[in-house]
Amino acid sequence: MTPAPTESNPPGDIPDNQAFVVYHPPAGGFTVKVPEGWAQSAQGGTTVFTDKLNRIEIATASAATAPTVQSVNAQTVPVLRQRVANFAAPAASQVARHAGSAVLLTYQGDSPPDAVTNKVVRDGFERYAFFRQGHEVDLTLSGPVHADNVDPWRLVTDSFTWQ
């Protein structure tokens, strides 16, 4: 009998058996599922979860109005163009998630150089802007462009719930 071939996943693929846990920010207001065991850091209104080549950034802010496709293109894209190395291919759209409507901005950019190898990876980004009653939560998911993280990213963004 021939053994099953070894599965070969592109770098940055989140394993199918990855467990997720509910993240409750200290200030409250929402919950979201994040991969269990990922490193967590926080500064100001931003919390980041990382593991190998993947990253989830959750940024909170007060906002007078809900973001729109037009406001994201006019205000967010220029800021990201300055902050993200080799920023490219921005596309904004209105999407439905379990928590309601959100503005999704997809784009590509280079990762920061690895601290050990100095290697840079081309990343794909999905940035969801959720809004409710003067509060905006921007949920940005990123990983290598060819990684197949559609299902884990969908699980994270569909788990977002206002409290």
Side-chain angles (χ1 to χ4, degrees), residues 40-140:
Q40 177 182 345
S41 62
Q43 184 173 9
T46 301
T47 302
V48 176
F49 296 89
T50 57
D51 183 63
K52 300 177 188 80
L53 300 174
N54 293 297
R55 176 182 167 99
I56 298 173
E57 179 179 300
I58 305 164
T60 60
S62 296
T65 60
T68 64
V69 169
Q70 294 77 18
S71 69
V72 166
N73 281 324
Q75 298 165 12
T76 305
V77 168
V79 171
L80 291 172
R81 195 175 301 282
Q82 296 299 314
R83 288 186 185 163
V84 178
N86 293 313
F87 179 84
S93 60
Q94 198 79 31
V95 296
R97 287 294 180 263
H98 290 307
S101 184
V103 177
L104 167 61
L105 176 64
T106 59
Y107 57 97
Q108 292 185 4
D110 290 348
S111 70
D114 181 273
V116 175
T117 65
N118 209 35
K119 184 178 179 180
V120 173
V121 175
R122 188 71 176 160
D123 282 340
F125 294 80
E126 293 182 9
R127 183 180 188 274
Y128 294 81
F130 294 94
F131 176 85
R132 188 176 91 169
Q133 300 173 347
H135 300 283
E136 183 172 335
V137 176
D138 295 323
L139 181 58
T140 304

